[in-house]
């Protein structure tokens, strides 16, 4: 044994390639679907209005949540995400045209 380097341990690093078939949690450039609490912080609902449930419907950079109001009827708030501004309120309505939103696939809050 060499007295200059007693009890030396040598370790070799091995490259580890991740499983290429596994999909990431989110698609690059697209946000996670926000929570109803996150969206609630972005708007002030009229008196006696509330979000109908904790379910937020998302498609790419769009999110919609149903609103409960005393007059009844279906109303949804639509939110849009941009990298520079984050989630922002877009408008309210019942459903939107996916093509006008730039969505290639149907979303639960779209007509087509």
């Amino acid at each position: 044994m060499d007295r200059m380097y007693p009890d030396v341990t040598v370790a070799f690093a091995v490259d580890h390639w991740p499983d290429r078939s596994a999909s990431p949690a989110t698609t690059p450039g697209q946000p996670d679907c926000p929570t109803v609490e996150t969206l609630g912080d972005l708007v002030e609902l009229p008196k006696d209005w509330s979000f109908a449930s904790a379910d937020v419907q998302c498609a790419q950079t769009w999110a919609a949540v149903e609103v409960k109001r005393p007059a009844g009827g279906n109303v949804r708030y639509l939110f849009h995400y941009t990298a520079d501004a984050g989630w922002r309120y877009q408008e309210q309505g019942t459903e939107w045209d996916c093509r006008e939103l730039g969505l290639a696939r149907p979303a639960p809050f779209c007509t087509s």
Side-chain angles (χ1 to χ4, degrees), residues 22-44:
S23 61
T26 60
T27 305
Q30 294 183 9
D32 288 333
C33 191
T35 64
V36 73
E37 290 81 11
T38 298
L39 299 179
D41 289 342
L42 301 177
V43 294
E44 185 175 335

Side-chain angles (χ1 to χ4, degrees), residues 4-87:
M4 197 171 211
Y5 302 105
D7 300 322
V8 173
T9 303
V10 178
F12 294 95
V14 178
D15 284 340
H16 174 71
W17 294 94
D19 180 3
R20 303 243 187 247
S21 65
S23 61
T26 60
T27 305
Q30 294 183 9
D32 288 333
C33 191
T35 64
V36 73
E37 290 81 11
T38 298
L39 299 179
D41 289 342
L42 301 177
V43 294
E44 185 175 335
L45 295 172
K47 185 178 178 208
D48 298 328
W49 288 35
S50 63
F51 290 120
S53 72
D55 294 332
V56 177
Q57 299 172 323
C58 293
Q60 295 177 4
T61 58
W62 296 94
V65 63
E66 193 155 338
V67 176
K68 181 178 170 182
R69 58 193 183 137
N74 293 335
V75 173
R76 292 181 181 162
Y77 274 31
L78 183 67
F79 298 83
H80 187 243
Y81 178 88
T82 59
D84 60 333
W87 287 103

